[in-house]
């Protein structure tokens, strides 16, 4: 005793022993609650299946995302190496030019020094 049921149609509280609501007469067989709980379990199972399915889906998504990231990284590395190679080539030719300029400048300064020494 003491367990109460809240009527579905009039929201009145009454003893769980009673088969129908004493206020509005709605039938309330004890079996109904079990049926309701069974339905709840079914819903819960459906939810679990849904979650499992979405988990699998998410896993697939993550896999493809990782693959995309790897491809992007490879492409970026190729671009970076290509740029480095090209700039290295340019750097080499530029340093050659610089060496030539440096040699020319040295030649000029030595000439000037020679001139001032002579004066
Ligand atoms: Zn009622």
């Amino acid at each position: 005793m003491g367990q109460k049921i809240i009527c579905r149609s009039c929201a009145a509280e009454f003893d769980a022993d009673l088969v129908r609501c004493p206020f509005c007469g709605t039938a309330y067989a004890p079996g109904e609650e079990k049926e309701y709980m069974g339905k709840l379990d079914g819903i819960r199972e459906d939810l679990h299946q849904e979650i499992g399915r979405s988990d699998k889906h998410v896993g697939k998504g993550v896999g493809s995302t990782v693959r995309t990231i790897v491809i992007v990284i490879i492409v970026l590395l190729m671009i970076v190496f290509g740029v480095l190679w090209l700039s290295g080539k340019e750097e080499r030719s530029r340093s050659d030019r610089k060496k030539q300029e440096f040699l020319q400048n040295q030649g000029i300064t030595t000439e000037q020094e020679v001139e001032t020494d002579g004066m």
Side-chain angles (χ1 to χ4, degrees):
M1 275 284 280
Q3 215 193 335
K4 301 276 185 183
I5 282 172
I6 292 166
C7 177
R8 271 170 291 145
S9 50
C10 71
E13 218 179 42
F14 58 92
D15 277 359
D17 301 339
L18 297 170
V19 180
R20 26 180 93 239
C21 173
F23 302 97
C24 69
T26 299
Y28 211 99
E32 265 187 86
E33 207 178 356
K34 250 187 209 169
E35 203 185 306
Y36 177 68
M37 291 309 280
K39 259 187 219 166
L40 257 188
D41 276 345
I43 288 164
R44 220 176 293 152
E45 245 168 73
D46 279 356
L47 262 178
H48 274 299
Q49 277 183 350
E50 199 65 48
I51 287 163
R53 223 177 294 149
S54 61
D55 270 357
K56 264 182 218 161
H57 189 71
V58 165
K60 241 187 220 172
V62 166
S64 68
T65 305
V66 166
R67 216 177 306 144
T68 306
I69 287 167
V70 166
I71 287 164
V72 166
I73 285 168
I74 287 166
V75 168
L76 278 174
L77 278 174
M78 278 166 75
I79 289 166
V80 166
F81 275 121
V83 166
L84 276 176
W85 184 69
L86 278 176
S87 68
K89 247 179 138 186
E90 210 174 300
E91 195 67 49
R92 241 175 284 140
S93 62
R94 212 184 292 156
S95 65
D96 278 356
R97 228 176 294 145
K98 263 187 191 168
K99 219 181 274 171
Q100 276 185 346
E101 271 175 46
F102 178 72
L103 283 171
Q104 275 179 356
N105 282 337
Q106 263 206 330
I108 286 161
T109 42
T110 36
E111 265 175 45
Q112 275 175 343
E113 267 171 29
V114 166
E115 265 177 53
T116 41
D117 274 3
M119 270 173 94

